[in-house]
Amino acid sequence: MKIIVVGAGKVGYSLAQRLIQDEHDVYIIEKSKERIYTLKTTLDVNIVQGNGASLSLLQEIGMDDVGMLIAVTDSDEVNMLACAIAKIGGIPKTIARIRDNDYLTKENELIHEQLGVDLFINPEMVTAQELFQILETPAALDVEDFAKGAVRLMEFKVRDDLPILGEPLKNIQFPGSVLVVGILRGGEMIIPHGESCLYPNDSVFFLGSTEGIEELESTLFVESRTLVNRVCIVGASLIGRNLTKLLEKAGYKVKVIEKDMARCEQLAMEVTDAMVICGDGTDADLLVAEEISDCDVMICLTNDDKLNLLVALLGKHLGIPKTLVRVGRPEYITLMEQVGIDVVFSPRLLTSGEILRFVRKGEGLISISTFEGAKAEAVEIKISPTSPVVGKALKDVKLPGKGLVGAIVRDNKTIVPTGATVVFEGDHIIIFTLPEFVNKLLKYLQ
């Protein structure tokens, strides 16, 4: 599909990478000469310098065969205008990146329809909601639900004292509706088989029924299930403010540390119970004075990757059990995890993942989730009547690339499949795979 991306900032660049990987014909519109130079040297895309909200520029590119326009500049107003003009020009689908929550209120829904924007994406809210879900499942490094909550995928860190270490997976009796679908070891994602073993510091991905995953968590990872109640957030950016409000509403006790007085005053007016502290998160004396060591988790959300790492390590030194760190450069994710950070996340990868869900909807995709800095993806697909896998046992299906069917939902029942399991029309299947194979899987299955 021919797709126009307006804006080549961090989100636009990451999105273009993923779209190219999915074999789309990508055009990028960008004003900055510096960003255009970077694009020319790193990405194989069509580059147009100019204003993405210009009808004449869009007509110059040619809109007749464009399937979608995605506007992700730093300006909400430019993004909405670009989408409106694209719709006037006949582009069928549009997505706008919006950072101001006021544009997303119910009062503005009529305006959304009139503008012709099919999807508003708020990177800061997407990230805040992802962090909130992780805090709600304290034993996990990551969690995603599929099939309207019937299927859950959770990522756990393997402890040194886990009784199943070194044992082939085929010999381990997990709950009946749970399967190991991925192992992250030394920065490499492994799609496991029966002879695969778990070792200390592996990150292991379990997929199965929600009940089975909860049983697994309460038995095998029970020592990691310390409930999170007290949260320290360093950085009152948009992500920090959104997350603070979500946590406060859910009953968490929140302390926020921010150097900028204006941000502190703004957040203080938006919350009632959260404590807002104006100070430097790297100041050990401040952290001790504010009794930050009593917190269950520290979340570092400044725009400085190195500062976030420093503050998180300082929090670990003071005795905070769990640390979550925001990174702007996804290539730092593996490095930070290796030095002891529990969860490292990239807002731009989370945002590009959300946009890709929408882009792929027309290909039979129900849901898609990205893990460990886009090292793996889990996709939920509804099997159509014309799919080549209908009526076949999984052992007779040769999926392109590396992937594992971890669950099948049929008539609201979750099945952890074996080689003898037969696929039927209407089944929802959840596959754990590597990103470079997602597009081929979708084409093959549908």
Side-chain angles (χ1 to χ4, degrees), residues 127-138 140-142 228 231-234 243 247 296-302 307-309 311-313 315-316 320-327 336-337 340-346:
T127 304
Q129 290 170 339
E130 178 74 13
L131 293 175
F132 179 75
Q133 190 172 20
I134 291 173
L135 294 180
E136 288 283 276
T137 52
L141 301 180
D142 204 347
V228 172
V231 179
C232 172
I233 297 174
V234 180
L243 180 59
L247 292 173
D296 303 308
V297 62
M298 173 180 274
I299 307 174
C300 303
L301 296 173
T302 78
L307 180 64
N308 287 338
L309 176 60
V311 174
L313 292 175
K316 282 282 190 181
I320 297 177
K322 192 170 186 176
T323 53
L324 286 73
V325 168
R326 171 202 177 277
V327 293
M336 288 192 179
E337 290 175 339
I341 305 303
D342 297 291
V343 178
V344 187
F345 58 92
S346 166

Side-chain angles (χ1 to χ4, degrees), residues 32-199:
S32 167
K33 292 182 179 179
E34 182 180 347
R35 287 180 176 175
I36 286 175
Y37 176 78
T38 302
L39 289 170
K40 287 181 177 178
T41 57
T42 56
L43 287 183
D44 182 19
V45 294
N46 304 284
I47 304 167
V48 180
Q49 185 174 6
N51 179 9
S54 166
L55 180 59
S56 60
L57 183 62
L58 293 175
Q59 288 173 334
E60 184 180 327
I61 294 173
M63 291 188 286
D64 292 342
D65 57 344
V66 175
M68 185 176 298
L69 180 138
I70 306 170
V72 288
T73 75
D74 293 331
S75 169
D76 292 353
E77 291 74 20
V78 169
N79 293 338
M80 290 188 288
L81 180 60
C83 289
I85 291 173
K87 272 295 175 73
I88 292 172
I91 296 177
K93 296 290 183 181
T94 60
I95 300 174
R97 172 189 180 184
I98 301 296
R99 304 182 71 190
D100 190 337
N101 290 333
D102 289 340
Y103 284 125
L104 304 176
T105 59
K106 289 186 177 180
E107 292 79 6
N108 288 321
E109 286 183 356
L110 181 60
I111 297 176
H112 300 170
E113 293 178 9
Q114 293 174 338
L115 286 172
V117 182
D118 296 290
L119 176 67
F120 284 91
I121 187 80
N122 184 329
E124 288 74 22
M125 184 56 74
V126 166
T127 304
Q129 290 170 339
E130 178 74 13
L131 293 175
F132 179 75
Q133 190 172 20
I134 291 173
L135 294 180
E136 288 283 276
T137 52
L141 301 180
D142 204 347
V143 57
E144 294 290 343
D145 288 334
F146 300 90
K148 298 180 179 179
V151 176
R152 177 165 291 177
L153 191 151
M154 289 183 75
E155 176 187 2
F156 298 95
K157 179 71 75 174
V158 176
R159 305 187 314 271
D160 295 347
D161 60 347
L162 208 62
I164 59 175
L165 292 179
E167 188 74 19
L169 292 177
K170 66 180 182 180
N171 298 337
I172 302 173
Q173 286 294 112
F174 294 114
S177 52
V178 171
L179 192 66
V180 176
V181 292
I183 301 171
L184 183 68
R185 180 178 301 148
E188 180 185 358
M189 186 63 69
I190 301 167
I191 304 297
H193 49 76
E195 298 294 335
S196 300
C197 301
L198 301 180
Y199 296 104

Side-chain angles (χ1 to χ4, degrees), residues 260-271:
D260 186 280
M261 177 59 77
R263 283 184 172 183
C264 289
E265 291 174 345
Q266 181 178 356
L267 178 58
M269 290 188 296
E270 296 174 354
V271 297

